[in-house]
Amino acid sequence: MLHSFIYGSVVIALIIMVHCVLQAISTCSSQSGESLPGNFIGFDSAPDKVVDGSMVHVRYQCSRPCQLAVEAVVSTLKKTDEVVFSRKWIRNSARVQRIHQVLLRWPPSVLYQQDFFNRHVLDTHYVTVRAFLHHLNKDTSEARTYHNSMLSIHTVLQIKPLSERPTKPPVACPSWSARLMWQMNRNHQCPHESGTVDMLTFPLASTGEHFGVVRRFHPFINRDLERTRLHAVTQPSVTLSVWIYLLKWCHWGLCGIIHHVDRNHSYASLLMQLTDKGDVIIQARVTTGEDEAFRANMELPLWKWIRLDCYIQNSKVLLNAIFQDSIRYDDTDGYFVIGGGRYLPGIQGYFGPTKYYRFGSEEIRNPKSPLQDLDKTLKECQDMKSFTRAYIQQVTDSHHPSLINKGVSTTQFVRLWGKFRKKISTQTWTWEKQHDYKTLFHYLQSKEEEIRTGSISMKELGTILFDQAVGTIFVMELAENETTYETISLLQASSCFGNPKASVLLAVIFFSGLGHPVDQQQGHVFSLIGAASDNRFALMHAGYKHGQGLDGFPKDLDVSSSYYSNLGAQSIADSSRIHENNQYSPEHIYLSNQEDLNSLTQETYDDVQFLKFRADRGDEESQKRLGMMLYWGQRGVSKNLASATEWFRRSAMQMKDPSMMYNYAMLLMKGLGVKRNYTQGFHLLEKAAAMGSINALNGLGWYYGVILKDHKNAVKYYERAALKGSDDGMFNLGLYHLTGNYPDKPESNETAAFQEFLKASRFGHVGASVKAAWYLSTGSLKGVSQDVERAVIMLKTVCEQNGHLGFMIREALQAYLQGFWQEAFVNYVLAAESGLGLAQSNAAHLCEELNLRHDCQWRYHNYSALNHDPHPSALLKMGEYYQHRSSSTQEHSLSLVGQAISMYVRAASAGSPQGMYNLVVLAHQGHALPRSVRSLFNLSLHDDEDVVLEKILLRCVQTEDEAVSPCSLVLLGVRMEQAWRRMTQNGAQLLLAHTALFSTCVIAVILTLQTCLEQRDAGHRVVAMRPRTPSLSRDGISLNRQQHGIMGRIFSEVGNQWIMILNGEQWLQQVGDLAVTLSGVCLCAFGTTLLYHLL
């Protein structure tokens, strides 16, 4: 009976195992797809977010005639895969690979909010663009859909939540009755419109270059206002009020204050210019189409705020002139520029609040209230420079010790100081002024000998004072986190003497509160002073602040684009001199990453010496690596153009590596590090191009176009290079289109040029990005909409590649490696406040290392997280910061957790495994994940929590390098839990699970019992083997014989009982073995079933 039960259980377990394995095999077989030879479909390019008018490029091939379909589907709470866009094409040619361009046109229900003009909207959770192929079969009547397609592909697009979508632009306002009904039901109405426009509310630093603020005006939505505006085109009544602060009169002859450029790139009404004599020229276009102008002889004063008010009334222009014909004025035609533009340089100074009255105004309300501190600081700088010039001349002319040191009268000094002040002020020198500038005075006194010998001049004083201040800024003050009055005074003096780094550093101190109370007004003043100097870092700093709206700067992308455009133009010039020692390509070395620090080398390190050893013996790869390290100054190695050129030559002359042949050829043609040799360079380029070098094709184009002026051959090579993906080739073709030098196409084609610039900008080309950004920021090209945000992102990306910024980052890194952490911190902070994400992460790391306030770390991690493409480590830090705050405070804890989840989602989308792991932890704690997670991890609306966690963990495991990681362990736990849940849902499998649990207990009990029996048997055997000692009487007579009969009978009975016990134990051993075997089979069946559910 027992054996039958055992055998039956084994058979049942085997049946369950076979059934599970067969089911798993059949499932895997059903999920595997069949290969279709000769058929292919894929996206060459596709948008990543929902934008109306975006393009999709589908590459496909069919083995026989087929139909291509492209669809856009959305999913809502009520419906899944609702088709909102569909296009189909039939192709009869077989085995020919084609690329089809599809213009996506999205319905208003997906693009806009719900309002009066857009009543039906879709609250979409995710949007998918999909393409699929169907063979054309005549014998089938089945509908050709995505689900029964031959081949298919899809991509998920990001879409703005319903609350963040824009409002659909109405063609007109609704009628009064319709508006009333809508307000009663929805409380929606047309946006408020006004004829008064604040063109500028915050001061703008104008450097005298061609980069002003672009403003565009659109027609009114309100019918009455638009009718009035159109009537005023030929009978205008407008008023313009602008504050300016001139540092110099126009050094170009004519400089732009405000000018209007129409769609034909011609000056329209109004054009206001400054001359080199301080006069103002007003130009306007009359109704006959001619331009008329007049000159107002006013000699505008310097170093003073001036408000210019210009009134236009029909044919009158008050500043003051009357034209014969009425003035034509259409402010929606083209764009306005405050300051310099593409065709006109700007003033050198500052612009203040600028108001524009589109319908005119007799009363102008345009105060200069936010400008007082800037005026005061600039005048103090003039006083300081005048006094310093007088002091330096006195010390230089005198061979005696300083009178000030002796406490003697300083009449002669005061007279010289008054002489240098000129017209700035007639105020005599007072001891109050000496007290105000005492730090500068004491420093000049301490350097009197160097001044007398000429070692220190006015030109060098700004740099010397800055170095002196940086050397003490965080030495004595680290413990107290306070910046001394002396340090601030030295930086202010350095700023006045023209050191823009001092201006930016002062702005940082006043903004961040590092060692000084926060004072945003003073921070704005020094930020503007730095930007007016046309310095790269100061321009990038101002552009970044306006782009993000930080530290009291109004968020104004037009102003941000103005600053970035200036720096972008400088970056174009800098890129042609990248070989100079004061420029380095920025290297992404994070101080918190030990692997990055370990990758750095020096000329004296063993690996560099070994590289030189191999290069000397002709190793081509070593020569290439060494030449690149010395040319670019990579991985801690200093630049050496001569040595780099020699290694390039030795590698190129082997005629094996086309990239090195190209590098050396361009050095020969440009005469960099070697004598110029066009002939040898040309032959090397030809051979490199024949070996497949794309850069060599572009180099040949440059040689024919720039050196030989053979534009036909130049364009031929540029086209070949561009077709193979060369960004330089695309950019050069764009220049040919723009200048009208394209062979057989003599006219300028800005549209074709823009397309080439846009393609090259996607590869990070500096010049192409700057050119394309100008068209995007102005919207002046037909068919190209104004997109200032995109222009700012492009320009910021280019500016972060600037070689001078890379040089500052290198100096900061070297100071850190040498132990000068204070100096490294200053340099990293200057770059961080300019928007460089790498510097922001490193500055936050040094805030922690230097034991600065916690706000310091939060500030720079937060800045890094605000960037367009932040580093995942900054996002993780900010997520941890919000999560910690949510656990430490009850107030707004849910919103803080939401912010933490947002940071983790962004980190996960950037490929961070830690971000994915943190999302899983928060989701497991019961926090809801946003909808964007579903599109990121290909989740559907019907996926439950376990599926969501599993897919996130699976992606995390795929991105991790380690075989065993936190994500893999958690994933195993989740799958085990899911498998157990599925097993317990089936009655038979639940019985098997309970049997397995019972079997585990049986095995444990039997093994324990067997161990005890074995120990007892061993004890009995020891007792049985002991020798028996004879019993003795008191007389020494043996009693064995007397007791033999009795003891013999006793031992005989005990022996019989022991034999019976041994037989029972053997039976128990056999039963135990059978039970263990049965339990093992049950456990094996349970394990197989569990493994099936896991797989």
Side-chain angles (χ1 to χ4, degrees):
M1 189 68 181
L2 179 61
H3 292 283
S4 300
F5 173 75
I6 294 174
Y7 292 146
S9 301
V10 172
V11 171
I12 292 173
L14 290 175
I15 291 174
I16 294 176
M17 292 170 58
V18 171
H19 172 73
C20 293
V21 172
L22 290 177
Q23 187 172 353
I25 294 175
S26 64
T27 303
C28 296
S29 300
S30 65
Q31 291 178 351
S32 62
E34 297 179 0
S35 61
L36 299 173
N39 299 289
F40 168 79
I41 189 171
F43 287 132
D44 258 18
S45 65
D48 57 353
K49 57 184 178 181
V50 175
V51 177
D52 194 33
S54 54
M55 296 292 295
V56 176
H57 294 77
V58 183
R59 184 187 296 270
Y60 67 99
Q61 177 180 313
C62 298
S63 59
R64 52 193 175 91
C66 63
Q67 180 189 72
L68 168 68
V70 176
E71 294 180 345
V73 297
V74 300
S75 293
T76 65
L77 287 173
K78 297 181 179 179
K79 191 173 182 180
T80 303
D81 289 352
E82 180 177 352
V83 179
V84 296
F85 174 88
S86 179
R87 295 290 185 274
K88 297 180 180 180
W89 301 267
I90 293 178
R91 288 290 178 266
N92 294 318
S93 55
R95 300 189 181 278
V96 176
Q97 194 170 110
R98 294 177 177 272
I99 299 178
H100 203 91
Q101 298 183 2
V102 184
L103 181 67
L104 294 178
R105 306 301 302 187
W106 299 93
S109 59
V110 176
L111 294 174
Y112 303 111
Q113 291 184 0
Q114 185 179 20
D115 58 13
F116 182 86
F117 299 96
N118 191 37
R119 309 266 179 116
H120 175 66
V121 296
L122 294 175
D123 187 8
T124 57
H125 292 267
Y126 67 92
V127 180
T128 303
V129 173
R130 61 195 189 189
F132 51 92
L133 293 175
H134 276 284
H135 280 152
L136 298 179
N137 298 322
K138 298 182 180 180
D139 55 346
T140 179
S141 59
E142 184 181 5
R144 301 187 181 101
T145 65
Y146 173 78
H147 300 286
N148 60 9
S149 60
M150 172 186 63
L151 282 177
S152 63
I153 190 173
H154 75 278
T155 180
V156 179
L157 277 60
Q158 299 178 4
I159 185 170
K160 291 183 178 180
L162 190 60
S163 59
E164 297 180 10
R165 295 184 198 171
T167 304
K168 181 182 179 182
V171 294
C173 279
S175 64
W176 180 86
S177 58
R179 185 190 306 173
L180 179 61
M181 291 299 297
W182 180 253
Q183 289 179 351
M184 291 175 62
N185 296 327
R186 300 288 300 179
N187 197 25
H188 282 186
Q189 59 185 359
C190 283
H192 173 72
E193 293 182 292
S194 172
T196 303
V197 180
D198 289 314
M199 295 182 67
L200 204 62
T201 60
F202 191 85
L204 170 72
S206 179
T207 62
E209 299 295 335
H210 293 255
F211 311 100
V213 176
V214 175
R215 299 295 194 194
R216 291 186 68 94
F217 299 103
H218 301 281
F220 289 103
I221 299 175
N222 185 284
R223 292 181 181 181
D224 297 332
L225 293 177
E226 180 60 14
R227 189 182 302 112
T228 304
R229 186 195 68 81
L230 292 174
H231 176 74
V233 169
T234 56
Q235 297 179 1
S237 175
V238 296
T239 304
L240 188 65
S241 176
V242 54
W243 284 95
I244 60 173
Y245 191 100
L246 297 176
L247 301 177
K248 295 179 181 179
W249 289 331
C250 183
H251 59 290
W252 295 101
L254 290 175
C255 295
I257 298 176
I258 289 182
H259 61 280
H260 179 196
V261 181
D262 64 14
R263 62 173 62 94
N264 298 319
H265 306 302
S266 300
Y267 291 125
S269 305
L270 173 75
L271 172 62
M272 186 185 297
Q273 298 172 298
L274 177 72
T275 70
D276 55 354
K277 302 297 183 182
D279 301 331
V280 177
I281 294 179
I282 302 292
Q283 177 178 309
R285 180 173 297 170
V286 296
T287 53
T288 60
E290 297 178 351
D291 295 328
E292 297 188 13
F294 74 92
R295 182 175 186 140
N297 298 313
M298 51 182 58
E299 193 174 336
L300 295 179
L302 303 178
W303 304 96
K304 184 180 293 185
W305 281 108
I306 311 158
R307 195 178 83 179
L308 298 177
D309 297 334
C310 181
Y311 302 85
I312 298 178
Q313 185 70 37
N314 292 336
S315 61
K316 298 179 181 180
V317 177
L318 294 180
L319 259 175
N320 187 349
I322 299 178
F323 297 133
Q324 183 176 356
D325 299 305
S326 295
I327 295 173
R328 175 178 174 79
Y329 191 91
D330 185 0
D331 56 9
T332 64
D333 183 9
Y335 57 91
F336 284 78
V337 181
I338 303 173
R342 186 177 188 180
Y343 314 104
L344 186 69
I347 65 172
Q348 193 165 352
Y350 303 91
F351 286 93
T354 303
K355 271 192 181 296
Y356 172 45
Y357 298 87
R358 300 181 75 175
F359 298 129
S361 176
E362 295 181 0
E363 181 183 1
I364 298 177
R365 297 181 179 179
N366 189 18
K368 64 168 184 176
S369 54
L371 312 173
Q372 301 296 333
D373 289 341
L374 179 61
D375 186 22
K376 177 183 176 183
T377 303
L378 290 173
K379 288 181 177 178
E380 288 179 354
C381 285
Q382 289 301 303
D383 287 346
M384 190 180 299
K385 287 190 285 186
S386 298
F387 172 79
T388 305
R389 289 193 189 99
Y391 185 91
I392 290 177
Q393 182 170 345
Q394 180 201 23
V395 173
T396 304
D397 295 344
S398 173
H399 298 286
H400 303 287
S402 171
L403 297 175
I404 297 178
N405 284 338
K406 296 181 178 182
V408 184
S409 173
T410 58
T411 306
Q412 172 66 9
F413 168 70
V414 173
R415 184 185 65 79
L416 289 171
W417 174 74
K419 173 183 175 182
F420 281 101
R421 293 179 68 203
K422 296 183 180 179
K423 298 180 181 180
I424 299 172
S425 175
T426 58
Q427 174 186 350
T428 58
W429 181 256
T430 62
W431 289 106
E432 285 184 5
K433 293 291 184 182
Q434 294 187 33
H435 180 269
D436 292 341
Y437 304 143
K438 63 181 180 180
T439 303
L440 175 62
F441 295 163
H442 293 161
Y443 181 78
L444 292 174
Q445 292 170 26
S446 66
K447 299 296 181 180
E448 190 171 292
E449 188 63 31
E450 290 87 341
I451 295 174
R452 184 178 293 109
T453 58
S455 301
I456 295 179
S457 63
M458 284 285 295
K459 186 176 181 181
E460 301 166 343
L461 198 55
T463 303
I464 295 173
L465 291 172
F466 178 76
D467 294 338
Q468 177 74 14
V470 170
T472 60
I473 189 169
F474 285 123
V475 177
M476 302 300 296
E477 302 88 351
L478 276 178
E480 296 83 8
N481 284 337
E482 294 182 359
T483 304
T484 62
Y485 169 81
E486 179 182 355
T487 301
I488 297 293
S489 299
L490 288 174
L491 288 174
Q492 289 176 339
S494 176
S495 171
C496 289
F497 288 116
N499 190 311
K501 283 188 177 181
S503 302
V504 177
L505 184 56
L506 278 170
V508 172
I509 292 174
F510 286 124
F511 286 143
S512 62
L514 288 173
H516 192 279
V518 174
D519 188 343
Q520 287 193 350
Q521 287 190 352
Q522 282 297 310
H524 294 155
V525 166
F526 287 104
S527 178
L528 289 167
I529 291 175
S533 66
D534 206 27
N535 175 263
R536 297 170 180 84
F537 308 109
L539 291 171
M540 194 170 177
H541 172 266
Y544 175 66
K545 297 296 183 180
H546 277 291
Q548 298 288 350
L550 301 171
D551 295 326
F553 286 83
K555 185 172 183 177
D556 193 327
L557 295 179
D558 290 325
V559 176
S560 178
S561 175
S562 169
Y563 288 121
Y564 276 132
S565 296
N566 190 348
L567 179 54
Q570 295 186 47
S571 298
I572 295 176
D574 292 337
S575 62
S576 63
R577 300 188 297 268
I578 192 64
H579 59 276
E580 296 177 353
N581 290 331
N582 61 347
Q583 291 196 65
Y584 281 83
S585 296
E587 290 188 277
H588 293 273
I589 305 296
Y590 289 88
L591 302 183
S592 58
N593 190 337
Q594 192 60 40
E595 293 182 0
D596 287 351
L597 296 176
N598 293 337
S599 66
L600 297 173
T601 59
Q602 300 289 343
E603 286 86 348
T604 57
Y605 283 12
D606 292 341
D607 50 355
V608 177
Q609 295 301 319
F610 180 69
L611 200 63
K612 289 181 179 179
F613 173 79
R614 296 191 60 184
D616 283 330
R617 279 152 181 77
D619 183 72
E620 180 187 355
E621 185 62 28
S622 299
Q623 292 172 349
K624 178 180 178 179
R625 288 182 57 193
L626 197 56
M628 298 298 287
M629 289 172 64
L630 292 170
Y631 183 81
W632 295 103
Q634 297 173 339
R635 295 299 174 183
V637 177
S638 300
K639 284 186 176 181
N640 191 326
L641 183 59
S643 297
T645 304
E646 176 60 21
W647 290 118
F648 283 162
R649 183 193 66 81
R650 294 178 62 173
S651 179
M653 289 300 101
Q654 297 187 38
M655 301 296 178
K656 296 180 180 179
D657 190 339
S659 64
M660 298 304 293
M661 295 163 63
Y662 162 77
N663 289 335
Y664 184 59
M666 295 308 297
L667 293 178
L668 284 170
M669 289 189 169
K670 295 181 179 181
L672 296 177
V674 67
K675 186 178 179 180
R676 194 187 302 271
N677 189 330
Y678 288 120
T679 303
Q680 186 182 7
F682 175 72
H683 289 314
L684 282 173
L685 284 177
E686 282 192 320
K687 292 181 179 179
M691 297 171 67
S693 172
I694 301 175
N695 289 329
L697 291 173
N698 187 73
L700 287 170
W702 176 86
Y703 175 72
Y704 276 105
V706 176
I707 307 302
L708 301 181
K709 307 300 180 184
D710 183 355
H711 300 301
K712 187 173 183 179
N713 276 317
V715 168
K716 179 184 71 174
Y717 282 109
Y718 286 147
E719 287 178 340
R720 290 176 58 187
L723 286 174
K724 294 185 177 182
S726 169
D727 55 342
D728 285 322
M730 300 171 191
F731 173 69
N732 290 322
L733 287 177
L735 291 179
Y736 270 97
H737 283 297
L738 186 63
T739 58
N741 293 326
Y742 208 97
D744 304 326
K745 299 176 183 178
E747 296 183 357
S748 175
N749 188 341
E750 287 190 290
T751 302
F754 172 74
Q755 294 299 330
E756 295 293 342
F757 293 150
L758 195 62
K759 287 191 293 184
S761 67
R762 295 191 179 103
F763 295 93
H765 194 280
V766 177
S769 299
V770 174
K771 295 284 187 183
W774 183 84
Y775 287 104
L776 291 171
S777 62
T778 60
S780 60
L781 187 61
K782 185 177 180 180
V784 178
S785 301
Q786 187 182 25
D787 192 345
V788 187
E789 182 178 4
R790 186 179 179 187
V792 167
I793 293 174
M794 292 171 61
L795 290 170
K796 183 177 183 292
T797 304
V798 164
C799 294
E800 290 175 351
Q801 303 173 20
N802 188 276
H804 291 277
L805 182 63
F807 181 74
M808 176 186 284
I809 295 299
R810 177 184 172 85
E811 282 190 324
L813 180 60
Q814 294 298 322
Y816 176 81
L817 295 176
Q818 295 169 12
F820 303 114
W821 287 10
Q822 293 81 11
E823 181 182 349
F825 179 70
V826 170
N827 283 320
Y828 276 128
V829 162
L830 288 175
E833 294 286 338
S834 300
L836 186 63
L838 165 71
Q840 290 163 347
S841 296
N842 288 344
H845 176 77
L846 285 174
C847 287
E848 183 178 0
E849 293 292 332
L850 294 172
N851 295 321
L852 299 179
R853 295 200 317 257
H854 182 69
D855 291 346
C856 177
Q857 301 175 48
W858 181 88
R859 176 183 180 86
Y860 293 112
H861 281 314
N862 184 46
Y863 278 9
S864 182
L866 290 175
N867 288 332
H868 173 67
D869 187 19
H871 194 270
S873 62
L875 297 172
L876 294 174
K877 287 287 187 180
M878 288 305 301
E880 293 170 3
Y881 171 78
Y882 288 127
Q883 192 173 356
H884 175 72
R885 285 189 58 191
S886 67
S887 60
S888 60
T889 178
Q890 296 296 328
E891 186 178 2
H892 307 301
S893 59
L894 290 178
S895 63
L896 291 173
V897 172
Q899 290 176 317
I901 291 176
S902 175
M903 292 297 167
Y904 292 148
V905 169
R906 294 176 62 191
S909 63
S912 169
Q914 185 65 44
M916 302 176 198
Y917 178 81
N918 292 347
L919 282 177
V920 170
V921 172
L922 290 175
H924 189 68
Q925 293 175 357
H927 298 288
L929 299 181
R931 296 175 181 173
S932 57
V933 175
R934 297 188 177 276
S935 61
L936 179 62
F937 296 100
N938 297 326
L939 301 172
S940 68
L941 296 175
H942 308 291
D943 290 340
D944 56 16
E945 180 182 351
D946 290 339
V947 176
V948 171
L949 297 182
E950 183 179 2
K951 288 187 176 181
I952 296 176
L953 289 169
L954 188 61
R955 179 77 63 84
C956 178
V957 172
Q958 292 172 353
T959 56
E960 288 178 324
D961 297 330
E962 301 175 359
V964 179
S965 62
C967 283
S968 61
L969 296 177
V970 176
L971 178 62
L972 178 61
V974 169
R975 287 184 169 176
M976 290 286 289
E977 184 179 353
Q978 292 175 353
W980 176 258
R981 192 180 301 116
R982 285 193 292 267
M983 284 188 63
T984 55
Q985 292 175 355
N986 183 280
Q989 294 179 4
L990 179 61
L991 177 60
L992 179 61
H994 289 163
T995 305
L997 182 62
F998 176 73
S999 300
T1000 304
C1001 298
V1002 168
I1003 291 176
V1005 170
I1006 291 177
L1007 290 178
T1008 303
L1009 182 60
Q1010 289 180 348
T1011 302
C1012 294
L1013 290 176
E1014 290 177 358
Q1015 292 177 352
R1016 195 185 68 174
D1017 290 345
H1020 280 291
R1021 285 194 295 269
V1022 170
V1023 172
M1025 292 176 62
R1026 287 178 184 172
R1028 293 191 298 271
T1029 55
S1031 300
L1032 298 176
S1033 66
R1034 291 182 180 179
D1035 300 331
I1037 301 172
S1038 177
L1039 300 178
N1040 286 335
R1041 291 182 179 179
Q1042 297 175 6
Q1043 297 177 352
H1044 182 267
I1046 299 173
M1047 295 302 297
R1049 288 191 299 270
I1050 294 174
F1051 278 121
S1052 176
E1053 293 177 0
V1054 171
N1056 293 333
Q1057 293 178 0
W1058 180 248
I1059 291 174
M1060 293 177 62
I1061 292 174
L1062 288 178
N1063 291 332
E1065 288 183 355
Q1066 290 178 358
W1067 178 85
L1068 185 61
Q1069 182 73 26
Q1070 292 176 356
V1071 172
D1073 291 342
L1074 290 175
V1076 169
T1077 303
L1078 177 60
S1079 300
V1081 172
C1082 291
L1083 288 176
C1084 182
F1086 171 75
T1088 304
T1089 308
L1090 182 64
L1091 184 62
Y1092 159 72
H1093 285 292
L1094 283 174
L1095 296 178

